[in-house]
Amino acid sequence: VHYDGVLMDCQMPVMDGYAATRAIRQELSLKIPIVAMTAGVMPKDRDKCMASGMDDFISKPINWTLLRFRIRYVLRSAQVMKELVRSKDSLSSAQRIARLGSWEWFVPADDAQRSSQYYRLFGQHADTFGEGMEALVAHVYEPDRAMVQAALEGARQGIGYQLTYRVVWPDGSVRTLLETAERADDLAAESLGGLVMEGSAQDITEQVEAQRRIRQLVYFVPPSGLPNREFFCA
């Protein structure tokens, strides 16, 4: 059965509205808007309504015209939230398929917010990756660390970059990532003296390996692996 929302009275014979709301939120896990009708007019009554998980409430005696508009509002808000969740899920699926992860870095506080797919590019989870932007360096293949470190130092000054580097997974395998960063168009943050950088990273291991195989076929003789005529003419 599908429900668009719930309208209930806070005073009911078997279970009051507060307990009913908690049951809906916790036991049934139904993410639907709940509007309650209450005789309480004190701030503590309103706080109790919201603390139980209600989306809105209206005091008695009921103004039916106002109630109609309040219900329309919470239903519309719930629909907007559903659309946002769907958009977020779609973005996450697209990033997973494309092996693409994204991040946002509030530089003054060294607060790095990364997408879940970004951590997967390193074979990691959020709780094992590390805090701050510098945590990235520990997962980079050692010969590439200086290059990544230099790019991050430039990013601290608002300088964007695009670079290819290798990372080491916990199982020891090496993957190749292409990462791009640029200064975010966040005027609100910069008006407060904060620099925000944003970027994305993509796993290009298969592309790099395909290019290597193509080059091997073009310039070397199978199965000996010796250079061919094209190698010397290139």
Side-chain angles (χ1 to χ4, degrees):
V1 179
H2 172 74
Y3 298 95
D4 292 320
V6 175
L7 174 63
M8 70 173 75
D9 198 313
C10 284
Q11 301 302 319
M12 297 187 293
V14 178
M15 179 185 293
D16 65 26
Y18 311 113
T21 299
R22 287 191 292 269
I24 291 173
R25 295 298 188 216
Q26 298 176 7
E27 297 179 20
L28 302 182
S29 300
L30 295 178
K31 304 301 182 183
I32 58 176
I34 300 175
V35 179
M37 298 178 291
T38 175
V41 295
M42 301 297 291
K44 65 178 182 179
D45 298 314
R46 299 170 183 174
D47 291 341
K48 188 175 181 181
C49 287
M50 305 311 290
S52 67
M54 296 175 184
D55 294 279
D56 202 355
F57 61 91
I58 189 167
S59 300
K60 299 177 181 178
I62 301 300
N63 181 322
W64 297 103
T65 300
L66 177 60
L67 177 61
R68 184 171 69 252
F69 283 107
R70 297 284 276 273
I71 291 175
R72 286 180 179 176
Y73 172 77
V74 295
L75 290 177
R76 186 178 302 161
S77 298
Q79 185 61 35
V80 170
M81 289 303 298
K82 288 180 182 178
E83 293 296 332
L84 288 174
V85 170
R86 277 196 288 266
S87 296
K88 184 177 180 181
D89 291 342
S90 297
L91 177 61
S92 179
S93 296
Q95 288 190 348
R96 184 172 59 256
I97 293 171
R99 297 181 180 177
L100 180 71
S102 57
W103 53 264
E104 188 176 46
W105 182 22
F106 185 60
V107 178
D110 193 23
D111 179 16
Q113 300 294 323
R114 302 175 172 96
S115 69
S116 57
Q117 181 58 29
Y118 184 87
Y119 295 115
R120 294 191 186 101
L121 298 179
F122 296 80
Q124 300 281 346
H125 299 282
D127 55 352
T128 59
F129 190 86
E131 300 291 335
M133 202 63 184
E134 289 292 330
L136 163 65
V137 179
H139 305 287
V140 175
Y141 190 51
E142 190 167 357
D144 297 344
R145 288 184 180 179
M147 173 180 61
V148 173
Q149 188 75 55
L152 293 180
E153 289 300 322
R156 289 185 181 277
Q157 310 302 319
I159 303 172
Y161 62 83
Q162 182 179 75
L163 72 160
T164 300
Y165 60 90
R166 293 162 293 178
V167 300
V168 182
W169 278 36
D171 63 3
S173 61
V174 178
R175 310 289 295 181
T176 302
L177 303 185
L178 171 64
E179 184 162 277
T180 303
E182 61 182 9
R183 192 171 188 150
D185 184 15
D186 195 332
L187 298 179
E190 294 203 4
S191 67
L192 298 175
L195 170 63
V196 180
M197 299 293 291
E198 58 187 10
S200 62
Q202 185 174 23
D203 188 327
I204 60 169
T205 305
E206 292 183 1
Q207 294 93 312
V208 171
E209 180 60 22
Q211 291 173 359
R212 186 196 66 79
R213 289 197 298 269
I214 291 173
R215 187 178 186 279
Q216 186 75 18
L217 292 172
V218 171
Y219 293 109
F220 297 89
V221 179
S224 66
L226 295 174
N228 60 17
R229 181 179 300 177
E230 295 294 333
F231 177 88
F232 294 104
C233 293

